[in-house]
Amino acid sequence: MEIKPVSNRLFALIVLYDMHTTYFGNAIDGISNEDAHQRLNTKANHIAWISGSLVQGRYELADLLGLDLKQTAHELFANFKGIQDHETYPALADFKKDWEKITPILREKLMQVTDEELDKILEFPDMSFPLFEMISFTIYREANCIGQIALWRRLLNYDAMKYM
């Protein structure tokens, strides 16, 4: 797939975005819904929450770029909501379906973002930063979340995540 964004500043980030698109599916592959909720007697976020949060990140970024779309489990993750101890999260297949829905739409939008748009300052309570930094952070966070799921795979006695 050719990568030629309007802004050259996004080239490397789109390469990572494309890698993460595949890696997320590989990370959750074969994990049972029961195991996706395992926390192994810790306070760690389980695979179901990490997956939903990861999907939410793409939807939140799409929203910042003017797309009004929401994942199926939006209410569980709205406003950067953390894990809820007694909540049963959707099946990983549902998160994957939402991931596959937003991914091409957001990718196309990222390919069209201009340098002027990237420099736009986003205002949040107690902080502000350019859109470029938000895109960078979101894609960086995706790698972290996928890595956490990959670790959970091993802790739950699944085969290691496949990269190819």
Side-chain angles (χ1 to χ4, degrees), residues 119-132:
D119 291 335
K120 179 184 172 198
I121 302 298
L122 303 173
E123 299 288 343
F124 296 97
D126 301 322
M127 67 178 125
S128 62
F129 45 83
L131 176 61
F132 179 76

PDB file of all heavy atoms in Angstrom, residues 119-132:
ATOM      1  N   ASP A 119      -0.561  21.706  13.013  1.00  0.00           N
ATOM      2  CA  ASP A 119      -0.087  22.734  13.938  1.00  0.00           C
ATOM      3  C   ASP A 119      -1.206  23.338  14.780  1.00  0.00           C
ATOM      4  O   ASP A 119      -0.938  24.102  15.715  1.00  0.00           O
ATOM      5  CB  ASP A 119       0.625  23.846  13.173  1.00  0.00           C
ATOM      6  CG  ASP A 119       1.942  23.373  12.577  1.00  0.00           C
ATOM      7  OD1 ASP A 119       2.542  22.409  13.113  1.00  0.00           O
ATOM      8  OD2 ASP A 119       2.365  23.956  11.552  1.00  0.00           O
ATOM      9  N   LYS A 120      -2.453  22.984  14.480  1.00  0.00           N
ATOM     10  CA  LYS A 120      -3.594  23.504  15.239  1.00  0.00           C
ATOM     11  C   LYS A 120      -3.457  23.086  16.702  1.00  0.00           C
ATOM     12  O   LYS A 120      -3.170  21.935  17.017  1.00  0.00           O
ATOM     13  CB  LYS A 120      -4.903  22.960  14.666  1.00  0.00           C
ATOM     14  CG  LYS A 120      -6.122  23.426  15.416  1.00  0.00           C
ATOM     15  CD  LYS A 120      -7.389  22.790  14.872  1.00  0.00           C
ATOM     16  CE  LYS A 120      -8.539  23.140  15.787  1.00  0.00           C
ATOM     17  NZ  LYS A 120      -9.681  22.264  15.595  1.00  0.00           N
ATOM     18  N   ILE A 121      -3.662  24.028  17.601  1.00  0.00           N
ATOM     19  CA  ILE A 121      -3.543  23.762  19.036  1.00  0.00           C
ATOM     20  C   ILE A 121      -4.862  23.213  19.564  1.00  0.00           C
ATOM     21  O   ILE A 121      -5.922  23.813  19.370  1.00  0.00           O
ATOM     22  CB  ILE A 121      -3.143  25.041  19.813  1.00  0.00           C
ATOM     23  CG1 ILE A 121      -1.816  25.597  19.294  1.00  0.00           C
ATOM     24  CG2 ILE A 121      -3.085  24.762  21.324  1.00  0.00           C
ATOM     25  CD1 ILE A 121      -0.621  24.668  19.451  1.00  0.00           C
ATOM     26  N   LEU A 122      -4.785  22.073  20.212  1.00  0.00           N
ATOM     27  CA  LEU A 122      -5.937  21.461  20.869  1.00  0.00           C
ATOM     28  C   LEU A 122      -5.964  21.944  22.318  1.00  0.00           C
ATOM     29  O   LEU A 122      -4.941  21.909  22.996  1.00  0.00           O
ATOM     30  CB  LEU A 122      -5.836  19.939  20.827  1.00  0.00           C
ATOM     31  CG  LEU A 122      -5.710  19.307  19.438  1.00  0.00           C
ATOM     32  CD1 LEU A 122      -5.459  17.815  19.564  1.00  0.00           C
ATOM     33  CD2 LEU A 122      -6.946  19.583  18.608  1.00  0.00           C
ATOM     34  N   GLU A 123      -7.110  22.372  22.758  1.00  0.00           N
ATOM     35  CA  GLU A 123      -7.266  22.880  24.121  1.00  0.00           C
ATOM     36  C   GLU A 123      -8.028  21.877  24.973  1.00  0.00           C
ATOM     37  O   GLU A 123      -9.119  21.447  24.611  1.00  0.00           O
ATOM     38  CB  GLU A 123      -8.014  24.210  24.108  1.00  0.00           C
ATOM     39  CG  GLU A 123      -7.334  25.321  23.334  1.00  0.00           C
ATOM     40  CD  GLU A 123      -6.107  25.880  24.024  1.00  0.00           C
ATOM     41  OE1 GLU A 123      -5.943  25.656  25.250  1.00  0.00           O
ATOM     42  OE2 GLU A 123      -5.314  26.545  23.353  1.00  0.00           O
ATOM     43  N   PHE A 124      -7.432  21.486  26.071  1.00  0.00           N
ATOM     44  CA  PHE A 124      -8.052  20.600  27.046  1.00  0.00           C
ATOM     45  C   PHE A 124      -7.916  21.259  28.417  1.00  0.00           C
ATOM     46  O   PHE A 124      -7.062  22.126  28.591  1.00  0.00           O
ATOM     47  CB  PHE A 124      -7.346  19.231  27.071  1.00  0.00           C
ATOM     48  CG  PHE A 124      -7.472  18.468  25.783  1.00  0.00           C
ATOM     49  CD1 PHE A 124      -6.452  18.512  24.839  1.00  0.00           C
ATOM     50  CD2 PHE A 124      -8.596  17.715  25.506  1.00  0.00           C
ATOM     51  CE1 PHE A 124      -6.565  17.809  23.649  1.00  0.00           C
ATOM     52  CE2 PHE A 124      -8.709  17.011  24.322  1.00  0.00           C
ATOM     53  CZ  PHE A 124      -7.695  17.060  23.389  1.00  0.00           C
ATOM     54  N   PRO A 125      -8.727  20.840  29.385  1.00  0.00           N
ATOM     55  CA  PRO A 125      -8.542  21.410  30.729  1.00  0.00           C
ATOM     56  C   PRO A 125      -7.102  21.190  31.207  1.00  0.00           C
ATOM     57  O   PRO A 125      -6.574  20.082  31.125  1.00  0.00           O
ATOM     58  CB  PRO A 125      -9.535  20.614  31.581  1.00  0.00           C
ATOM     59  CG  PRO A 125     -10.570  20.138  30.613  1.00  0.00           C
ATOM     60  CD  PRO A 125      -9.828  19.891  29.321  1.00  0.00           C
ATOM     61  N   ASP A 126      -6.463  22.240  31.612  1.00  0.00           N
ATOM     62  CA  ASP A 126      -5.110  22.202  32.185  1.00  0.00           C
ATOM     63  C   ASP A 126      -3.999  21.871  31.198  1.00  0.00           C
ATOM     64  O   ASP A 126      -2.863  21.635  31.618  1.00  0.00           O
ATOM     65  CB  ASP A 126      -5.040  21.223  33.368  1.00  0.00           C
ATOM     66  CG  ASP A 126      -5.998  21.594  34.478  1.00  0.00           C
ATOM     67  OD1 ASP A 126      -6.151  22.807  34.742  1.00  0.00           O
ATOM     68  OD2 ASP A 126      -6.603  20.682  35.067  1.00  0.00           O
ATOM     69  N   MET A 127      -4.280  21.799  29.883  1.00  0.00           N
ATOM     70  CA  MET A 127      -3.198  21.543  28.932  1.00  0.00           C
ATOM     71  C   MET A 127      -3.626  21.895  27.515  1.00  0.00           C
ATOM     72  O   MET A 127      -4.809  21.950  27.207  1.00  0.00           O
ATOM     73  CB  MET A 127      -2.741  20.087  28.994  1.00  0.00           C
ATOM     74  CG  MET A 127      -3.753  19.088  28.516  1.00  0.00           C
ATOM     75  SD  MET A 127      -3.097  17.427  28.581  1.00  0.00           S
ATOM     76  CE  MET A 127      -4.355  16.657  29.583  1.00  0.00           C
ATOM     77  N   SER A 128      -2.630  22.135  26.686  1.00  0.00           N
ATOM     78  CA  SER A 128      -2.869  22.353  25.259  1.00  0.00           C
ATOM     79  C   SER A 128      -1.629  21.885  24.511  1.00  0.00           C
ATOM     80  O   SER A 128      -0.514  21.920  25.044  1.00  0.00           O
ATOM     81  CB  SER A 128      -3.161  23.825  24.971  1.00  0.00           C
ATOM     82  OG  SER A 128      -2.052  24.624  25.308  1.00  0.00           O
ATOM     83  N   PHE A 129      -1.840  21.412  23.284  1.00  0.00           N
ATOM     84  CA  PHE A 129      -0.744  20.934  22.447  1.00  0.00           C
ATOM     85  C   PHE A 129      -1.238  20.811  21.014  1.00  0.00           C
ATOM     86  O   PHE A 129      -2.442  20.765  20.762  1.00  0.00           O
ATOM     87  CB  PHE A 129      -0.179  19.610  22.965  1.00  0.00           C
ATOM     88  CG  PHE A 129      -1.230  18.609  23.356  1.00  0.00           C
ATOM     89  CD1 PHE A 129      -1.837  17.785  22.421  1.00  0.00           C
ATOM     90  CD2 PHE A 129      -1.650  18.513  24.676  1.00  0.00           C
ATOM     91  CE1 PHE A 129      -2.812  16.892  22.786  1.00  0.00           C
ATOM     92  CE2 PHE A 129      -2.625  17.607  25.050  1.00  0.00           C
ATOM     93  CZ  PHE A 129      -3.220  16.792  24.095  1.00  0.00           C
ATOM     94  N   PRO A 130      -0.308  20.742  20.068  1.00  0.00           N
ATOM     95  CA  PRO A 130      -0.703  20.650  18.662  1.00  0.00           C
ATOM     96  C   PRO A 130      -1.322  19.282  18.315  1.00  0.00           C
ATOM     97  O   PRO A 130      -1.005  18.265  18.942  1.00  0.00           O
ATOM     98  CB  PRO A 130       0.607  20.833  17.895  1.00  0.00           C
ATOM     99  CG  PRO A 130       1.599  21.330  18.876  1.00  0.00           C
ATOM    100  CD  PRO A 130       1.131  20.901  20.229  1.00  0.00           C
ATOM    101  N   LEU A 131      -2.160  19.269  17.299  1.00  0.00           N
ATOM    102  CA  LEU A 131      -2.769  18.039  16.802  1.00  0.00           C
ATOM    103  C   LEU A 131      -1.697  17.005  16.462  1.00  0.00           C
ATOM    104  O   LEU A 131      -1.887  15.810  16.731  1.00  0.00           O
ATOM    105  CB  LEU A 131      -3.629  18.335  15.570  1.00  0.00           C
ATOM    106  CG  LEU A 131      -4.254  17.130  14.876  1.00  0.00           C
ATOM    107  CD1 LEU A 131      -5.201  16.377  15.802  1.00  0.00           C
ATOM    108  CD2 LEU A 131      -4.973  17.571  13.599  1.00  0.00           C
ATOM    109  N   PHE A 132      -0.571  17.441  15.894  1.00  0.00           N
ATOM    110  CA  PHE A 132       0.499  16.501  15.557  1.00  0.00           C
ATOM    111  C   PHE A 132       0.949  15.699  16.777  1.00  0.00           C
ATOM    112  O   PHE A 132       1.163  14.486  16.690  1.00  0.00           O
ATOM    113  CB  PHE A 132       1.697  17.235  14.942  1.00  0.00           C
ATOM    114  CG  PHE A 132       2.835  16.312  14.599  1.00  0.00           C
ATOM    115  CD1 PHE A 132       2.769  15.487  13.478  1.00  0.00           C
ATOM    116  CD2 PHE A 132       3.968  16.253  15.394  1.00  0.00           C
ATOM    117  CE1 PHE A 132       3.809  14.624  13.160  1.00  0.00           C
ATOM    118  CE2 PHE A 132       5.009  15.397  15.082  1.00  0.00           C
ATOM    119  CZ  PHE A 132       4.934  14.582  13.964  1.00  0.00           C
TER     120      PHE A 132
END
